[in-house]
């Protein structure tokens, strides 16, 4: 996770819109604006954000590391201030929609307009109503409990660990009692936010979100589906195999072999990642040959050494060491004397060199990978520090997560041997187990990460109405995922609201793009390094040529359209899912052998 403070958090952006409604200001500002006005406006915005950014970042940092009533109150105040700035600047930026300006100024103006997840209209009453609706929806999810009084964390644990289908069904249906009361509020929120999007010059909120990808909004929709069609054969093979194994476990009356998989049996509340059922679908003889957690402990790793090892990976690529302030100011080990937010995150405090991570590091394989991932964010943040503050971000919203994940793909047995964590690289026979573990999360997630925003786009443009919200959701899930509701769902249900990102209004397409891009980056890096073996065995550790080109892409930040950043590293301007297929090719071959004679599809 990368923490960015240029604009405050996704749900916070709409919480205090009324504080800065520009309606009265626009009535008095009638004079024609010029290109010079636009440039002066952008310069003013950059100056204000440069002053606000470090102050806001430090406030959030304190709250994350000292969770108290007082720190929460300070963050609420900072969030309100940032929201007011963001909405004010977005509404002022739209004044220049019809003015001819240079490309750099136009890009900055568009980024300012797109910086608000849900734009409020200038009507003060609707402005306030939208703020209340988003706050209510967020609170409804956060405080939701099933009929037995269990919250989402407790139910997620049941979904991950239980193998009792009745218990799983109770947890699945129980959590979805939280969301039906959200539907009316959600529909009204959509109506008001669409008005705000139109005032900014967009057809609707979905079109505004898609406009952030440096191509016409409708073209991006087609581009996302194109990438999905590339990777769908691999997903279909995985789906067929998993469905068969679940049929063996629960019976084919529970898991029919010619239908979508019941959503409650895949180890996850939303059936989005399936890694929790690895024990049910693991290939025979799939022992990977070593236990990384045990090896870390045997070698005497502590929390600092875990992070130092991650730093060493980047140093081997030619990146400068992390600054002393990183080690002085990061939170790497969970304190014993206070509550902190333990979710791993990478922080950019001042837009320059004050980069940090915050994680309650544990000595295990998962956190070893997480450290490399989070540091990927930090090195990206430092690489674009000389860009305008408006350009200090990923080339598109999928890039930042993809960078961290790309580094994690290089944690191969060969890398572990080079740094002395294992004594020998296991034979190729163990690869299927490694690839299956990775596919259950990375490949299984692809269609879910695509369909969430496909559903929202249909909601925002009116293709789906409140009466068809739920049926539209399940139509998309069956079409893309081959997953179905385990029990009959009614029009009054609002199952989309049971996923945080829907009431929380967090765009989801970034996660789909990151899953595709990381493999594309990995393949390009391995070709650059001259690696000739299977893609899943490649590590870019200790290759400074790769590091130099990697850094050239990172330094661009968001200053150019993402195809230019992509081309700087991969040599192509098009996102491409073929690297996913190449990476998992040995697994797909094995899956297709296992699926011989089965009726795949749904």
């Amino acid at each position: 996770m990368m923490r960015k403070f240029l604009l405050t958090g996704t749900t916070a952006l709409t919480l205090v819109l009324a504080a800065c409604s520009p309606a009265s200001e626009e009535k008095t500002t009638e004079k024609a604006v010029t290109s010079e006005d636009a440039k002066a406006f952008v310069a003013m915005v950059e100056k204000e954000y440069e002053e606000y950014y470090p102050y806001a970042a430090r406030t959030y940092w304190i709250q994350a590391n000292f969770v108290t009533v007082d720190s929460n109150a300070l963050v609420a105040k900072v969030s309100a201030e940032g929201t007011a700035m963001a909405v004010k600047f977005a509404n002022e930026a739209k004044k220049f929609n019809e003015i001819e300006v240079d490309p750099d100024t136009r890009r900055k103006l568009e980024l300012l307009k797109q910086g608000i997840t849900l734009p409020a209209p200038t009507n003060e009453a609707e402005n306030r109503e939208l703020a209340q609706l988003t706050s209510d929806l967020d609170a409804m999810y956060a405080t939701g409990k099933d009929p037995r009084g269990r919250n989402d964390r407790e139910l997620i644990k049941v979904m991950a660990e239980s193998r009792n289908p009745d218990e799983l069904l109770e947890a699945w249906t129980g959590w979805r009692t939280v969301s039906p009361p959200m539907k009316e509020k959600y529909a009204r929120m959509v109506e008001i936010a669409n008005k705000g999007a139109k005032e900014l010059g967009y057809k609707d909120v979905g079109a505004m979100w898609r406009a952030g990808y440096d191509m016409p909004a409708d073209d991006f929709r087609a581009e996302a589906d194109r990438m999905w069609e590339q990777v769908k054969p691999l997903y279909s093979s995985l789906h067929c195999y998993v469905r068969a194994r679940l049929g063996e476990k629960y019976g084919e009356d529970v898991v029919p072999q010619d239908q979508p998989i019941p959503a409650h049996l895949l180890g996850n509340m939303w059936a989005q990642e399936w890694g929790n059922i690895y024990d049910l679908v693991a290939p025979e003889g799939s022992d990977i040959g070593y236990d990384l957690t045990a090896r870390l402990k045997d070698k005497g790793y502590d929390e600092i050494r875990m992070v130092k090892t991650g730093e060493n990976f980047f140093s081997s690529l030619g990146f400068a060491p992390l600054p002393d302030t990183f080690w002085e100011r990061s939170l790497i080990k969970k304190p014993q004397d206070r509550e902190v937010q333990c979710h791993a995150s990478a922080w950019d405090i001042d837009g320059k060199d004050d980069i940090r991570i915050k994680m309650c590091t544990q000595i295990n394989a998962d956190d070893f990978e997480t450290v490399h991932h989070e540091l990927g964010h930090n090195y990206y943040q430092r690489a674009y520090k000389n860009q305008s503050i408006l350009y200090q971000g990923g080339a598109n919203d999928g890039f930042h997560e993809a960078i961290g994940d790309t580094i994690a793909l290089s944690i191969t047995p060969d890398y572990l041997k080079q740094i002395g964590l294992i004594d020998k690289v296991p034979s190729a026979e163990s690869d299927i187990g490694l690839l299956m573990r990775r596919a259950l999360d990375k490949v299984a997630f692809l269609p879910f990460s695509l369909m969430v925003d496909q559903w929202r786009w249909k909601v925002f443009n009116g293709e789906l109405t409140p009466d068809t919200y739920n049926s539209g959701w399940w139509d998309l899930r069956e079409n893309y995922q081959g997953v179905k509701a385990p029990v009959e769902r009614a029009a009054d249900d609002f199952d989309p609201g049971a996923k945080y990102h829907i009431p929380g209004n967090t765009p989801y397409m970034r996660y789909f793009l990151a899953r595709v891009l990381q493999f594309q980056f990995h393949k390009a890096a391995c070709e650059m390094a001259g690696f000739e073996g299977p893609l899943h065995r490649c590590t870019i550790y200790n290759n400074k040529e790769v590091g130099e080109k990697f850094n050239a892409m990172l330094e661009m930040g968001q200053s150019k359209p993402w195809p230019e950043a992509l081309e700087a590293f991969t040599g192509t301007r098009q996102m491409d899912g073929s690297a996913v297929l190449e990476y998992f090719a040995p697994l797909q071959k094995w899956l297709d052998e296992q699926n011989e004679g089965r009726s795949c599809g749904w």
Side-chain angles (χ1 to χ4, degrees), residues 44 100 135 156 169 238 257 264 321 345 425 566:
M44 179 274 294
E100 187 173 337
S135 179
I156 287 168
L169 182 60
L238 180 67
Q257 295 300 291
H264 66 309
S345 52
V425 175
L566 184 64

Side-chain angles (χ1 to χ4, degrees), residues 31 116 131 203 378 484 488 582:
K31 73 180 183 71
I116 310 170
K203 289 181 182 178
N378 281 147
K484 68 178 182 179
E488 192 74 24
E582 182 176 341

Side-chain angles (χ1 to χ4, degrees), residues 178-451:
V178 169
S179 49
M182 299 178 187
K183 189 168 78 166
E184 185 177 345
K185 291 178 181 291
Y186 191 84
R188 177 59 178 156
M189 180 203 74
V190 167
E191 182 182 1
I192 298 174
N194 271 340
K195 287 186 180 181
K198 287 173 182 174
E199 288 185 16
L200 290 175
Y202 302 101
K203 289 181 182 178
D204 56 60
V205 174
M208 187 186 85
W209 289 4
R210 296 194 302 278
Y213 293 102
D214 298 306
M215 63 177 65
D218 290 340
D219 289 0
F220 179 73
R221 182 190 289 231
E223 179 72 357
D225 270 329
R226 180 191 63 79
M227 286 185 281
W228 165 239
E229 289 299 324
Q230 285 185 289
V231 299
K232 185 178 178 181
L234 171 61
Y235 177 80
S236 297
S237 296
L238 180 67
H239 179 281
C240 188
Y241 171 78
V242 168
R243 181 174 62 188
R245 294 299 296 267
L246 291 176
E248 294 170 11
K249 170 67 177 176
Y250 296 111
E252 294 188 5
D253 56 328
V254 177
V255 189
Q257 295 300 291
D258 58 351
Q259 296 179 27
I261 300 172
H264 66 309
L265 301 177
L266 288 161
N268 178 275
M269 179 60 79
W270 306 279
Q272 64 185 56
E273 293 173 320
W274 306 347
N276 289 323
I277 61 164
Y278 178 77
D279 60 304
L280 300 182
V281 303
E284 290 185 17
S286 59
D287 181 10
I288 65 174
Y290 60 88
D291 180 338
L292 181 54
T293 297
R295 297 298 294 167
L296 289 164
K297 293 177 179 177
D298 289 346
K299 293 287 185 178
Y301 272 67
D302 61 12
E303 295 86 354
I304 297 296
R305 188 176 176 189
M306 293 265 282
V307 181
K308 286 283 188 184
T309 302
E311 179 191 31
N312 179 63
F313 186 102
F314 287 91
S315 295
S316 81
L317 300 180
F319 286 86
L322 293 166
D324 290 343
T325 53
F326 174 89
W327 302 104
E328 294 164 2
R329 300 170 186 175
S330 289
L331 186 139
I332 294 171
K333 183 176 181 180
K334 187 181 188 304
Q336 298 300 309
D337 61 342
R338 65 182 191 273
E339 289 297 317
V340 299
Q341 294 176 7
C342 273
H343 184 75
S345 52
W347 295 62
D348 177 9
I349 299 297
D350 63 356
K352 296 297 179 187
D353 292 303
D354 192 351
I355 50 177
R356 313 174 189 180
I357 61 168
K358 178 192 61 59
M359 62 183 290
C360 302
T361 314
Q362 298 183 52
I363 312 304
N364 60 39
D366 285 345
D367 276 11
F368 186 75
E369 181 171 318
T370 299
V371 162
H372 287 71
H373 173 98
E374 297 302 335
L375 289 180
H377 289 309
N378 281 147
Y379 281 92
Y380 200 171
Q381 290 161 340
R382 188 170 66 173
Y384 55 57
K385 68 180 182 179
N386 292 325
Q387 294 288 351
S388 159
I389 195 164
L390 298 181
Y391 290 153
Q392 290 185 5
N396 68 37
D397 60 3
F399 266 62
H400 239 296
E401 287 301 317
I403 296 302
D405 285 337
T406 298
I407 298 304
L409 290 177
S410 274
I411 303 177
T412 62
D414 182 52
Y415 167 61
L416 297 177
K417 181 176 183 296
Q418 288 188 60
I419 63 174
L421 271 171
I422 61 175
D423 299 322
K424 65 177 182 177
V425 175
S427 65
E429 285 74 27
S430 67
D431 288 0
I432 297 301
L434 281 167
L435 289 170
M436 177 65 80
R437 284 182 183 273
R438 188 152 269 172
L440 287 171
D441 285 335
K442 291 188 179 290
V443 176
F445 183 68
L446 286 167
F448 181 83
S449 61
L450 177 63
M451 62 75 48

Side-chain angles (χ1 to χ4, degrees), residues 121-160:
T122 53
N123 177 280
E124 186 171 346
E126 289 179 323
N127 193 314
R128 291 183 182 277
E129 185 182 0
L130 181 60
Q132 188 61 55
L133 287 167
T134 55
S135 179
D136 289 348
L137 287 166
D138 204 44
M140 291 168 80
Y141 187 94
T143 60
K145 293 184 178 180
D146 80 340
R148 289 176 51 186
R150 297 176 293 181
N151 61 28
D152 63 335
R153 294 181 300 281
E154 294 169 301
L155 292 167
I156 287 168
K157 190 172 188 292
V158 172
M159 298 297 294

Side-chain angles (χ1 to χ4, degrees), residues 574-594:
Q574 186 176 57
M575 291 183 285
D576 183 14
S578 62
V580 180
L581 300 182
E582 182 176 341
Y583 186 94
F584 289 103
L587 176 65
Q588 184 166 8
K589 180 176 183 292
W590 183 87
L591 288 170
D592 289 343
E593 291 170 356
Q594 305 304 306

Side-chain angles (χ1 to χ4, degrees), residues 319 383 546-557 564-565 568-569:
F319 286 86
V546 172
E548 185 177 352
K549 288 203 72 173
F550 203 47
N551 191 56
M553 176 176 68
L554 303 187
E555 286 179 340
M556 295 169 71
E564 294 187 32
F569 186 65

